[in-house]
Each structure stands twice: as C-alpha cells, then as structure tokens.
Amino acid sequence: MPVCGGKNGSLNYLSAKAQRQITEPFSHLDIELSRDPAPDQQMISAELQAKITAAVESLPPRCKMIFKLVREDGLRYKDVAEILNLTVNTVDAQMVIAVKRISEKVQAHFSAFPQKHVKK
C-alpha cells in the first residue's frame, strides 16, 4: 500500500487500522495440524490459536501496532517506520520484542514446545 497524504494521510490510515482491529477478529494465523484433524488435534489447534491471539493482544500498544502492521497487513519495515515516524531499526527492535514475547507466552502454555534458555 503506497503511503501518501503526509501526516493527515498517515493519521487517517492509522485511524482506519485501529477501527478494523476493534471490529475484525485477529484471524491471519491459520494453524492446521493435519488435513483431517482428530477432535483432540482440533482442540489443541484452537487452544494454540487462542494463546497466540492473547499473546499478541497483551503486547504494549506500539509494539502490537507494529507487529500487526507487518504481520497482518504485510507492510515492509520501511513503510511502517514512515507511517509511525520511527526509524527502521526501531521497527526491527519492536518486532524482535513482539516475536520473543509471543513465543514465551505460547511456550509457557504448551510443554510440547521445548524451552530455550538464553543468557541475558
């Protein structure tokens, strides 16, 4: 999506985006465990989807907006940086934070995913 219209265009875009986030479900992730999942697999898939959605929604506001603009809307980091008046490095750093926090929250609820211990 081309970015035009200066500050007002950016604000209009963000306003429309915020409205869509309120009225549309977060459904860009389509997790399918198999072609014909068994009932227990369907339950795990639904539970995983719910945990991912909850993890995304629990992100700090700016981090969540950046994550959704990149992952839901498919915008490039450069476009997100321009729209939000940030540097590309800030967008990249926020995406790293978002993915890390989402991964941690999902792993905390599913012991099937091995936990990686990273030195801080």
Side-chain angles (χ1 to χ4, degrees):
M1 166 184 250
V3 179
C4 58
K7 183 177 180 181
N8 287 337
S10 296
L11 293 175
N12 290 340
Y13 173 83
L14 292 174
S15 176
K17 173 68 179 160
Q19 185 61 34
R20 285 194 310 274
Q21 287 176 356
I22 292 168
T23 59
E24 293 178 2
F26 182 73
S27 62
H28 75 282
L29 295 175
D30 183 20
I31 299 167
E32 185 176 324
L33 297 176
S34 70
R35 290 242 180 247
D36 188 23
D40 62 330
Q41 290 177 324
Q42 287 178 339
M43 186 174 78
I44 291 169
S45 181
E47 187 176 347
L48 179 57
Q49 178 65 47
K51 296 297 180 190
I52 292 169
T53 300
V56 171
E57 292 303 318
S58 72
L59 292 171
R62 181 172 76 163
C63 189
K64 178 170 64 172
M65 177 173 279
I66 290 169
F67 181 82
K68 287 185 171 191
L69 287 170
V70 171
R71 292 294 172 100
E72 271 188 20
D73 294 345
L75 296 179
R76 296 175 303 162
Y77 286 16
K78 180 181 175 184
D79 296 333
V80 173
E82 188 174 323
I83 290 168
L84 299 178
N85 196 27
L86 302 169
T87 67
V88 173
N89 287 340
T90 299
V91 172
D92 182 50
Q94 290 294 303
M95 285 297 293
V96 169
I97 290 167
V99 170
K100 181 179 177 189
R101 287 186 180 188
I102 292 166
S103 296
E104 288 171 350
K105 289 199 180 226
V106 170
Q107 286 177 350
H109 294 288
F110 294 96
S111 60
F113 297 131
Q115 296 271 349
K116 290 185 180 178
H117 296 353
V118 179
K119 290 182 182 178
K120 294 183 180 183

